[in-house]
Amino acid sequence: MKARALAVAGAFTFVPETYPDDRGLFVSPFQHSAFEAAVGHPLFPVRQTNHSHSRRGVLRGVHYTLTPPGTAKYVYCARGRSLDFVVDVRVGSPTYGRWDSVVLDPREFPAMYFPVGVGHAFLALEDDTVMSYMLSGEYVPAHELAVSALDPALGLRLPAGVRPVFSDRDRVAPTLEEARAAGTLPQYAASCEAEAALWPAQGGRA
């Protein structure tokens, strides 16, 4: 499995080896040893798994979780194709306001790791796009927040020819600066502390 650090501090992408044959293929989108070698600690204890199904053009995000408690994610695309964004919304982070993107699909099965406190968005590039998530925390509606994926100050680069389809919540989400002024964005120090607390037996992040 190949690993690469992304432009947002603490975020990574992973590409596993696939094993195709005349029956289909076999792949392991998550591999513990490769993850720990790249990130510096084990994957978080999984508290919830999510499955989303989207038609072409659906844009979900930019979503983040109130921190603390915060939530870390490990995400891959099981079917279809998506353009996934990690956005640093952690106030005080060395990469605050920066973002990176990876095309996720079931051809090479790349995956992304989102540390606690960062934002996540994705655009479905094909109909029948299925995303699979492992999360460090369970879903609590009051903890789920968003900033606008169309915030010009963020400047997320969306492909031409795809008209985004939003939920009502995402359509009216504030800009990054509006969320910062409202005091709803995670603090970088608190995000790092919340992430370290996921591994108390190991003494936190290595």
Side-chain angles (χ1 to χ4, degrees):
M1 174 176 269
K2 298 177 182 178
R4 177 173 60 88
L6 296 172
V8 169
F12 289 81
T13 184
F14 298 87
V15 181
E17 188 172 355
T18 58
Y19 300 93
D21 59 26
D22 57 0
R23 301 168 298 168
L25 66 79
F26 178 84
V27 65
S28 296
F30 171 75
Q31 297 171 32
H32 171 85
S33 59
F35 180 90
E36 187 169 9
V39 182
H41 56 67
L43 185 72
F44 47 79
V46 176
R47 301 303 184 202
Q48 183 168 310
T49 61
N50 288 354
H51 169 111
S52 71
H53 180 266
S54 303
R55 70 179 191 269
R56 184 176 188 268
V58 168
L59 179 54
R60 300 180 188 263
V62 179
H63 298 157
Y64 64 98
T65 305
L66 184 71
T67 305
T71 300
K73 299 179 182 179
Y74 191 88
V75 179
Y76 71 94
C77 180
R79 188 165 64 223
R81 193 163 174 259
S82 75
L83 178 60
D84 253 57
F85 295 91
V86 56
V87 182
D88 200 341
V89 298
R90 300 167 298 181
V91 177
S93 167
T95 54
Y96 174 75
R98 199 181 296 181
W99 59 269
D100 208 342
S101 63
V102 178
V103 174
L104 304 185
D105 61 34
R107 296 166 181 85
E108 293 188 332
F109 283 91
M112 292 174 71
Y113 174 66
F114 297 79
V116 171
V118 302
H120 175 215
F122 75 84
L123 175 69
L125 299 176
E126 296 180 1
D127 286 335
D128 203 23
T129 291
V130 174
M131 303 297 292
S132 180
Y133 308 65
M134 293 188 289
L135 299 97
S136 66
E138 296 184 32
Y139 176 73
V140 178
H143 292 173
E144 298 303 313
L145 304 169
V147 296
S148 174
L150 300 183
D151 180 356
L154 279 179
L156 300 188
R157 288 194 290 270
L158 303 178
V162 179
R163 184 177 179 180
V165 178
F166 294 97
S167 68
D168 290 341
R169 179 182 70 141
D170 289 345
R171 188 179 296 110
V172 299
T175 66
L176 183 66
E177 185 53 40
E178 288 170 341
R180 180 171 184 167
T184 60
L185 295 181
Q187 297 292 318
Y188 180 65
S191 298
C192 292
E193 289 174 4
E195 183 152 344
L198 295 173
W199 307 277
Q202 287 86 12
R205 179 186 287 272

